[in-house]
Amino acid sequence: MLRFAVGSLAVCHVDHGSRSVMTDLPERVVASEFPAGLSADSTDTDRVAAKSEQKASHNKSLKASFLSSLFVSTLSIFETHPESHSGEKKPTKSRSYGWTTAVKKVVTGGSMRRLQELLGASSTDALSSTSEIWLLGKCYKLSTEEASGGTDHGNGSAAFLEDFSSRIWITYRKGFDAIGDSKFTSDVRWGCMIRSSQMLVAQALLFHHLGRSWRKPSQKVSWMFSMDPQKFFSKWRKRTPHDSKYIEILHLFGDSETCAFSIHNLLEAGKAYGLAAREWVGPYAMCRTWETITRAKREQADLDKGKERLPMVVYVVSGDEDGERGGAPVVCIDVAARLCSDFSKGQISWAPMLLLVPLVLGLEKVNPRYIPLLWETFMFPQSLGILGGKPGASTYIVGVQDDKALYLDPHEVQLAVDIKRDNLDADTSSYHCSTVRNLPLDLIDPSLAIGFYCRDKDDFEDFCSRASKLEGKSNGAPLFTVAQTNQSAKSIQHQEALVDGLGGAGNSGMDDTFSDCGAHSGDEEWQIL
């Protein structure tokens, strides 16, 4: 029996086909915790790895190539080769046929790809080593050179990858219980917006319960060969028990009606906003759905103390007094205070808060003037990233570097798993990804939603201060504004400032988008993907 150990190394492969819209996306079925593929949508040609990193990456690639060749060549030992003489009869299957078939499945399937990825090159190869990366309020620089204040110097690339791969990754699943009265047991090709929103809310829960500095435990992986065809290529993980809060968070997003924030329950809660199986929805409808489901879960918890609820206020920041369209969204401090009071039934003056800011920043493309503002929101300590992504294919954008958006992709198809809330030894590998995908910021869909998490009142006040400073840099066209009261919010003549700021170039800008919103009675314009 041959046994060898493999360290937990990150990897990526270049996938140049990720620009296609959702209807063209293939069903990339993966059995691994590290899906292959790095979207190289950007035309950035920086070959930026430091020489030491290049050498390490080269060595890893050589190791992966050697072991891959070893396993493939091993197959020949067990193959049944026909004799060359002319009188040969039809060959029969040898006793080793089942074992050989198992080997082939491993070599051509997900297990071998997982091994190759574990041994492969760093997934930061397509990123610049000279530019800062902002990942949900934290700054990294991949090179070993000294960076500006606030930059994490802890082993640059490795520290960034550890942080990135610790974010909860939620994807298409198949094989779960049927949704409602339908026969759907998978959300492939239509559930990406829902999955992206689950990722954003999951990060808020991670920050709330475990803090921004939490990282998933590193695991040493051992691979073991067995002569049993059913267990030829199996793995053992030497791990410490997971944090109970972490497991509880994953349980909340399981694919079952018994899990509070499952796709099943989100579809039920979002019926009023157009959510339905096989239907696509936009960021605005998704934000309102989260507002609805958290309110419903809180009411259920009030009646039954055993019911799960979101331990924070959900504040969907909207535009005019009706909250649905027109002008820049306004963070109203008085509204936030009232929501906190309602959440705690007047017992405390403030509560943790999840702010969701749905936006439409153009018609077919984001107006370029908003890109620097979007970029800067990732510098906020309260940042939860952006719900949106590519036209027709929602993603969860968690970071930025130069002109690139770094994101987690929900379009991988994985089998449904059941994470029990009391199973601290559960295999959670399918909820994490070390593949850093990117796309140009100017190609993201103009319909999006920004998320922020404020732990307490001081954190909220810091957020408001940063938002006000960001508004001052907007030249009259802010992403959103901050006001003390509803009355002061109504007095903001944002629409006129927008037209003046754009110099009349409204046909391709945000002003026409919002005027269209005001001219229609429905919500369809908010639900553009």
Side-chain angles (χ1 to χ4, degrees), residues 26-314:
E27 294 185 18
R28 295 171 291 196
V29 182
V30 293
S32 70
E33 64 206 273
F34 300 130
L38 171 62
S39 173
D41 293 302
S42 172
T43 57
D44 178 30
T45 58
D46 263 344
R47 305 313 304 165
V48 295
K51 290 185 178 180
S52 59
E53 292 179 346
Q54 288 178 332
K55 183 176 180 180
S57 175
H58 178 65
N59 290 339
K60 293 170 189 173
S61 299
L62 287 177
K63 188 186 297 183
S65 176
F66 168 75
L67 288 172
S68 299
S69 300
L70 172 64
F71 299 137
V72 173
S73 62
T74 303
L75 291 175
S76 61
I77 301 174
F78 306 101
E79 292 287 356
T80 302
H81 297 284
E83 297 293 336
S84 59
H85 58 78
S86 58
E88 176 190 17
K89 295 182 180 180
K90 185 176 181 180
T92 57
K93 297 178 181 179
S94 71
R95 295 177 63 184
S96 64
Y97 176 79
W99 198 94
T100 307
T101 301
V103 176
K104 285 183 176 179
K105 289 181 179 179
V106 168
V107 172
T108 59
S111 296
M112 177 57 69
R113 184 170 65 176
R114 179 181 301 186
L115 176 63
Q116 291 172 332
E117 289 170 346
L118 285 169
L119 296 172
S122 166
S123 61
T124 60
D125 287 349
L127 303 178
S128 169
S129 66
T130 59
S131 301
E132 293 177 342
I133 296 176
W134 282 92
L135 178 67
L136 302 183
K138 194 168 183 64
C139 186
Y140 294 94
K141 197 166 185 179
L142 302 189
S143 72
T144 56
E145 298 176 3
E146 184 175 355
S148 61
T151 300
D152 191 318
H153 300 291
N155 200 17
S157 177
F160 164 73
L161 281 174
E162 183 185 22
D163 191 354
F164 180 88
S165 63
S166 295
R167 301 310 106 216
I168 291 178
W169 179 50
I170 302 178
T171 71
Y172 287 154
R173 296 280 180 173
K174 64 178 183 177
F176 50 69
D177 295 339
I179 296 173
D181 297 328
S182 75
K183 296 182 180 180
F184 294 113
T185 59
S186 171
D187 62 314
V188 175
R189 297 191 182 279
W190 56 266
C192 59
M193 178 60 71
I194 298 174
R195 298 303 190 181
S196 299
S197 76
Q198 286 178 317
M199 284 190 268
L200 188 148
V201 177
Q203 307 317 317
L205 287 168
L206 273 184
F207 295 173
H208 176 78
H209 290 297
L210 300 173
R212 179 63 183 86
S213 61
W214 179 86
R215 301 291 182 268
K216 67 181 180 69
S218 59
Q219 299 173 352
K220 291 184 178 180
V221 183
S222 296
W223 299 88
M224 180 73 76
F225 285 106
S226 171
M227 295 304 292
D228 183 347
Q230 303 301 318
K231 301 179 181 178
F232 164 67
F233 201 58
S234 54
K235 65 180 180 180
W236 284 261
R237 294 180 178 277
K238 186 178 181 180
R239 63 160 70 94
T240 55
H242 293 297
D243 188 288
S244 60
K245 286 296 183 183
Y246 164 69
I247 292 297
E248 287 176 14
I249 291 170
L250 294 185
H251 172 76
L252 290 173
F253 297 93
D255 296 307
S256 166
E257 290 181 359
T258 61
C259 300
F261 306 124
S262 66
I263 190 169
H264 302 64
N265 291 328
L266 286 167
L267 287 171
E268 180 65 26
K271 283 183 176 179
Y273 300 102
L275 266 70
R278 295 191 69 180
E279 296 294 332
W280 295 352
V281 296
Y284 173 77
M286 206 66 244
C287 291
R288 289 299 183 190
T289 296
W290 278 104
E291 182 182 54
T292 301
I293 196 171
T294 52
R295 184 189 307 117
K297 294 299 180 184
R298 186 166 68 246
E299 292 172 355
Q300 292 174 11
D302 290 340
L303 298 175
D304 182 353
K305 298 303 181 182
K307 292 291 185 180
E308 296 161 321
R309 54 180 268 179
L310 198 69
M312 61 190 73
V313 173
V314 175

Side-chain angles (χ1 to χ4, degrees), residues 132 134 371-379 400-402 441:
E132 293 177 342
W134 282 92
I371 291 177
L373 305 179
L374 287 173
W375 203 102
E376 194 160 336
T377 62
F378 287 92
M379 300 173 66
V400 289
Q401 185 189 47
D402 296 329
L441 274 166

Side-chain angles (χ1 to χ4, degrees), residues 237-440:
R237 294 180 178 277
K238 186 178 181 180
R239 63 160 70 94
T240 55
H242 293 297
D243 188 288
S244 60
K245 286 296 183 183
Y246 164 69
I247 292 297
E248 287 176 14
I249 291 170
L250 294 185
H251 172 76
L252 290 173
F253 297 93
D255 296 307
S256 166
E257 290 181 359
T258 61
C259 300
F261 306 124
S262 66
I263 190 169
H264 302 64
N265 291 328
L266 286 167
L267 287 171
E268 180 65 26
K271 283 183 176 179
Y273 300 102
L275 266 70
R278 295 191 69 180
E279 296 294 332
W280 295 352
V281 296
Y284 173 77
M286 206 66 244
C287 291
R288 289 299 183 190
T289 296
W290 278 104
E291 182 182 54
T292 301
I293 196 171
T294 52
R295 184 189 307 117
K297 294 299 180 184
R298 186 166 68 246
E299 292 172 355
Q300 292 174 11
D302 290 340
L303 298 175
D304 182 353
K305 298 303 181 182
K307 292 291 185 180
E308 296 161 321
R309 54 180 268 179
L310 198 69
M312 61 190 73
V313 173
V314 175
Y315 180 8
V316 179
V317 182
S318 54
D320 62 14
E321 65 271 20
D322 295 324
E324 307 305 330
R325 50 190 169 267
V330 180
V331 178
C332 182
I333 297 174
D334 285 355
V335 170
R338 176 177 55 79
L339 290 172
C340 289
S341 178
D342 292 345
F343 177 81
S344 66
K345 297 188 178 300
Q347 295 179 7
I348 56 176
S349 61
W350 208 263
M353 182 177 296
L354 168 61
L355 293 103
L356 299 173
V357 189
L359 298 168
V360 179
L361 301 180
L363 293 175
E364 296 182 358
K365 295 181 65 176
V366 173
N367 190 305
R369 72 184 305 155
Y370 296 106
I371 291 177
L373 305 179
L374 287 173
W375 203 102
E376 194 160 336
T377 62
F378 287 92
M379 300 173 66
F380 285 30
Q382 301 83 11
S383 172
L384 287 175
I386 293 176
L387 172 62
K390 297 178 288 188
S394 176
T395 65
Y396 175 40
I397 301 174
V398 296
V400 289
Q401 185 189 47
D402 296 329
D403 62 346
K404 296 186 288 291
L406 313 180
Y407 66 93
L408 286 166
D409 188 358
H411 295 93
E412 301 287 351
V413 185
Q414 303 189 91
L415 290 173
V417 296
D418 183 15
I419 304 291
K420 302 293 185 182
R421 70 180 65 172
D422 58 350
N423 183 8
L424 302 186
D425 294 317
D427 181 2
T428 64
S429 59
S430 67
Y431 284 97
H432 296 280
C433 172
S434 289
T435 300
V436 184
R437 302 175 186 270
N438 71 84
L439 76 158

